[in-house]
Amino acid sequence: MSDRYLTVSLLNKYIKRKFTADPYLGKIYLSGEISNFRLRARHQYFSLKDENAKIDVVMFASDFNKIKFVPEEGMKVLVSGYVDVYEASGRYQFYIKTMEPDGVGALYQAYEQLKHKLEQEGLFSAPKKVIPQFPQRIAVITSPSGAVIKDIITTTRRRYPIAQIVLFPAEVQGERAADSLVARLKEVNLRGDFDTIIIGRGGGSIEDLWPFNEEKVARAIFASAIPVISSVGHQTDTTIADLVADRRAATPTAAAELATPVLEEVLIQIARNQQTLFNIIHMVLQQHLRNWQKIQQSYIFKQPGRLYDSYLQKVDYLDNSLKQNFKHCLAQRKTELISLQGRIQVASPQQQLELATNKYNNLVTNLGAEMNGYLKQRQDQLQQAVTSLDMLSPLKVLGRGYTYVKKDDQVIKTVSQLNVGEELSLHFQDGVADVEVRKIKGAEK
C-alpha cells in the first residue's frame, strides 16, 4: 500500500525533469514589467508582470553583470531565458539570461542613467580647467593604428611644430578598452610633464563608442590634473567623456586646433606686441625727457637760494607767535595765582576750625536734649502698657469673685460638656477646689 505514495522530494524532482525536458521551456522570450526589484550584491530576485499575471524570476550575477543598464521598478523590459523548478520549494521560476529595455536600447538606457547620475554629482557643471595657450608637450591617448593620431600630428605640425606630440597607445573598442583608457590617463598624470591631454577615437556605432561612456573613464577624466580635450566620434556623437572633459572637439583636427595656436600668427602677434612695446617705451622716454627739460628751466635750479625764502619767513612768523603766546600764558598764570591767594585767605584753616568747634558743641547740646525727651516718652509709654496689661490680667477678674472650671486640664465653657458624677476643679484667685457634679441644670430658654 505504501508503494503507491511518493515523497515530496520525488514529486518535485519529477516535475523539474518535466520542465527541463520540455523543449518549449528551454528558450523563452518574454516582455513584461519589473516588479518587486531591489538591487542585491550578487544574484537578483524579482518578478515580471503584465496586466493579468505575474511570474517570479531569477538572474544570476554572471548574467546580470553583462547588462549595461540598471533595472528599475516598473521598467518594461525584453528578456530571454528558461523556465525551471526550484526543488527545495517546489516553485517554478523564470531564469533570465539576457535583458534589455523595451522600446529603448540597453546601451542608450545605460547612457541616460549614467548621464543623469554624473550630472547630479556636478561632474558636468564643475569649473573646467584652462587649456594652455602655448603647450610644450601634448599627450594623445588613442589607438596607434587609427586616423586620429595621424590627423592630430598633421594639424599640430602645420600649426605649431614646436609642440611635442607623445602617443599613449590604448584600446578604444571592446571590453578591455575602458580599463586601457583609465590606465593611460593615470600614467600621463603620474608623469606630470605634459601640458594637455587629447583623448578620443574615430566615429562608429554606440557599441563602438561605448568605452567612452563608461563611468570609470568619465571619473578618470574628471580627476585628471592635466586639462583634457575629448574628441570621440563625429560631430553628432556626444559621449559622457565629452561632457566631463575640459573641452570637446568634434574631430581630431579640431582637437589639435584647440590644443595649439598657429605659430605664424603667434610670431606675427609677438612682432606686433614688440612694436607696440617699443612705441610705448619711446613715448614714455619722450615724456620724461620733456619733464626733465622743464625741471631744468625751473627757478629752483637757477636760483636755489629762493628755496629758503619762504622757510625763513615762516620761521620768523613762528618765532613771533611763540613769544606772544608765552607772554599771554605767563599773564594768565599770574592772574590765576592772585585769585588762588585770595581764596586761601578767605578760607583760613583757623576760622574753619572755630566754626566746626561751635557747630560740634551745638550738636552735642541738641543731642542730649533729644535723648532725654526720647527716654521720657518711652517711659510714659511703658507705664501705660503695664497699666493696660494689669487691667487685662485674669487674676484681676478672679479677684472680683469669679472662678473658672477645668476638667482634665480643659476649661469648661458650657454645661453640655459636663456629666453627673464627674470630678471638676474650681480655680479661685488664691487656690483650687476639687468638686463633684451632682446635678446639671440647663439654661432656661
Side-chain angles (χ1 to χ4, degrees):
M1 185 67 177
S2 60
D3 294 339
R4 299 169 61 183
Y5 293 90
L6 295 174
T7 63
V8 175
S9 299
L10 289 175
L11 178 60
N12 284 349
K13 184 175 294 186
Y14 176 79
I15 294 174
K16 177 176 175 62
R17 288 178 181 176
K18 285 292 186 181
F19 274 75
T20 305
D22 192 331
Y24 295 103
L25 301 180
K27 185 69 172 181
I28 299 177
Y29 298 88
L30 288 181
S31 65
E33 182 180 311
I34 294 177
S35 177
N36 299 325
F37 180 81
R38 179 172 60 86
L39 187 63
R40 291 174 169 83
R42 296 186 62 215
H43 311 310
Q44 307 302 317
Y45 302 91
F46 53 98
S47 302
L48 284 179
K49 67 177 183 178
D50 57 19
E51 294 81 359
N52 303 312
K54 182 171 69 172
I55 185 173
D56 294 333
V57 300
V58 179
M59 193 170 189
F60 294 121
S62 58
D63 298 318
F64 184 76
N65 293 335
K66 294 178 182 179
I67 64 175
K68 299 297 185 181
F69 66 100
V70 179
E72 298 175 355
E73 181 73 16
M75 180 185 291
K76 293 184 177 181
V77 292
L78 301 175
V79 300
S80 66
Y82 59 93
V83 178
D84 205 345
V85 174
Y86 182 56
E87 289 186 48
S89 62
R91 182 175 62 184
Y92 81 93
Q93 304 173 121
F94 186 79
Y95 293 80
I96 298 177
K97 299 296 290 182
T98 65
M99 178 191 299
E100 64 181 24
D102 187 3
V104 181
L107 292 180
Y108 181 76
Q109 182 73 29
Y111 171 83
E112 289 297 329
Q113 288 178 344
L114 180 58
K115 180 180 176 182
H116 178 73
K117 175 183 177 181
L118 298 183
E119 186 176 14
Q120 292 298 315
E121 293 184 21
L123 268 67
F124 301 159
S125 59
K128 304 296 185 181
K129 292 180 284 293
V130 179
I131 306 299
Q133 187 177 3
F134 305 108
Q136 297 180 3
R137 305 187 74 202
I138 301 173
V140 179
I141 302 175
T142 188
S143 171
S145 59
V148 174
I149 185 61
K150 296 179 182 179
D151 292 344
I152 292 175
I153 291 174
T154 301
T155 304
T156 304
R157 286 178 177 174
R158 173 175 53 84
R159 290 170 55 88
Y160 199 67
I162 61 175
Q164 181 183 5
I165 302 296
V166 180
L167 171 64
F168 286 82
E171 296 186 34
V172 295
Q173 184 173 333
E175 295 182 357
R176 298 183 301 176
D179 292 331
S180 177
L181 294 171
V182 170
R184 287 307 193 184
L185 282 166
K186 291 181 178 179
E187 181 182 354
V188 175
N189 276 271
L190 285 175
R191 292 185 57 171
D193 54 353
F194 288 91
D195 302 300
T196 309
I197 298 174
I198 298 177
I199 184 172
R201 57 153 290 156
S205 64
I206 188 171
E207 291 81 2
D208 296 336
L209 303 181
W210 189 251
F212 295 89
N213 289 320
E214 293 277 2
E215 182 175 358
K216 63 179 71 175
V217 176
R219 294 194 182 279
I221 292 175
F222 184 79
S224 174
I226 302 172
V228 178
I229 299 175
S230 175
S231 175
V232 181
H234 301 296
Q235 188 170 2
T236 56
D237 299 320
T238 302
T239 63
I240 300 295
D242 294 331
L243 299 174
V244 177
D246 299 295
R247 293 292 296 272
R248 184 210 175 214
T251 62
T253 299
E257 291 175 351
L258 288 174
T260 59
V262 179
L263 183 58
E264 294 181 359
E265 295 178 358
V266 173
L267 294 177
I268 292 173
Q269 186 62 41
I270 291 175
R272 290 176 181 173
N273 293 341
Q274 184 180 12
Q275 185 61 42
T276 301
L277 182 62
F278 175 80
N279 293 336
I280 292 174
I281 293 175
H282 181 72
M283 290 175 58
V284 171
L285 289 176
Q286 289 297 320
Q287 181 64 37
H288 284 297
L289 179 61
R290 287 192 294 270
N291 292 339
W292 179 72
Q293 292 174 348
K294 183 178 180 180
I295 291 172
Q296 277 187 322
Q297 300 300 321
S298 174
Y299 73 90
I300 294 175
F301 291 99
K302 292 184 177 181
Q303 298 178 356
R306 294 180 59 183
L307 282 173
Y308 303 99
D309 292 347
S310 60
Y311 291 106
L312 292 174
Q313 186 177 358
K314 187 175 182 178
V315 169
D316 187 49
Y317 171 77
L318 293 175
D319 182 62
N320 292 331
S321 297
L322 180 62
K323 291 178 180 179
Q324 292 177 2
N325 289 335
F326 180 74
K327 291 179 180 179
H328 176 73
C329 290
L330 186 60
Q332 185 177 4
R333 294 292 183 270
K334 186 175 181 181
T335 302
E336 292 176 356
L337 179 61
I338 294 172
S339 176
L340 290 174
Q341 287 176 344
R343 291 171 61 186
I344 290 174
Q345 291 177 356
V346 172
S348 173
Q350 184 64 33
Q351 294 179 356
Q352 294 293 329
L353 181 60
E354 292 177 357
L355 290 175
T357 301
N358 293 332
K359 186 175 181 180
Y360 169 75
N361 294 330
N362 292 333
L363 289 174
V364 170
T365 303
N366 292 336
L367 179 61
E370 290 290 335
M371 287 298 297
N372 292 331
Y374 178 76
L375 290 175
K376 182 66 172 59
Q377 182 182 3
R378 290 301 183 187
Q379 288 175 352
D380 294 341
Q381 290 177 353
L382 178 61
Q383 185 61 40
Q384 184 179 1
V386 169
T387 303
S388 299
L389 184 61
D390 185 60
M391 292 298 294
L392 296 175
S393 173
L395 297 177
K396 286 283 187 181
V397 177
L398 295 177
R400 294 197 297 271
Y402 290 95
T403 66
Y404 64 92
V405 182
K406 293 184 70 176
K407 180 180 71 173
D408 297 332
D409 294 331
Q410 182 181 2
V411 177
I412 303 301
K413 297 180 180 181
T414 64
V415 295
S416 62
Q417 296 177 262
L418 301 177
N419 295 310
V420 175
E422 288 181 330
E423 292 185 356
L424 306 174
S425 58
L426 294 178
H427 291 259
F428 296 89
Q429 181 183 16
D430 55 351
V432 179
D434 294 329
V435 299
E436 180 181 348
V437 179
R438 299 181 61 187
K439 186 176 181 180
I440 299 174
K441 292 181 180 182
E444 293 183 359
K445 297 185 179 178

